[in-house]
Amino acid sequence: MTQHRLSWRWPLWVTTIYSGICLLTLYFFLPETNGEVLLLWKARELRKADPVANKDVYAEHERGDWSLGGVILRTASRPIEMLFKEKILVLVTIYLSIVYGVLYGRECL
């Protein structure tokens, strides 16, 4: 019988270390591509360069309601809005409702 000096947790540490290295590499070398963030940075640059002439330059992201109530309302309303606007989502939801209803309804009998 052989004895291992490494514990069973060691593979988990290896993947954690590798994930951390990948995260740091992506953070420093992958450029930002989100349009809202890029517009936010551009508006801040313009206001910083000439505060008087560009005092009214704001990104749409900055004009949103960022109070706690506004964030909760947006977070709660987006899934419901998406459910009614996306036809494929409605069809998948109906299908899964039927499947789960049959599966769990059969368990009760």
Side-chain angles (χ1 to χ4, degrees):
M1 180 181 218
T2 62
Q3 289 186 349
H4 297 283
R5 293 185 354 211
L6 300 175
S7 73
W8 62 272
R9 293 185 181 106
W10 185 245
L12 301 175
W13 282 110
V14 170
T15 56
T16 303
I17 292 167
Y18 180 71
S19 298
I21 291 170
C22 289
L23 179 68
L24 289 174
T25 303
L26 289 175
Y27 181 77
F28 287 111
F29 295 109
L30 190 67
E32 178 65 60
T33 57
N34 186 352
E36 291 180 354
V37 173
L38 294 175
L39 288 174
L40 178 69
W41 291 352
K42 184 68 174 179
R44 285 182 183 167
E45 276 182 31
L46 289 173
R47 286 195 308 265
K48 187 176 180 182
D50 192 2
V52 176
N54 296 324
K55 66 180 179 182
D56 295 330
V57 176
Y58 287 96
E60 185 177 341
H61 187 69
E62 289 177 294
R63 293 186 184 270
D65 181 15
W66 289 101
S67 66
L68 181 62
V71 171
I72 291 173
L73 181 65
R74 245 189 339 269
T75 304
S77 67
R78 279 184 184 165
I80 296 167
E81 178 183 340
M82 196 170 156
L83 179 65
F84 289 113
K85 286 186 177 179
E86 299 291 333
K87 293 176 185 171
I88 190 69
L89 186 60
V90 171
L91 294 174
V92 169
T93 303
I94 291 170
Y95 170 73
L96 286 175
S97 299
I98 292 170
V99 168
Y100 283 135
V102 168
L103 286 175
Y104 292 127
R106 189 170 177 208
E107 292 278 329
C108 293
L109 295 178

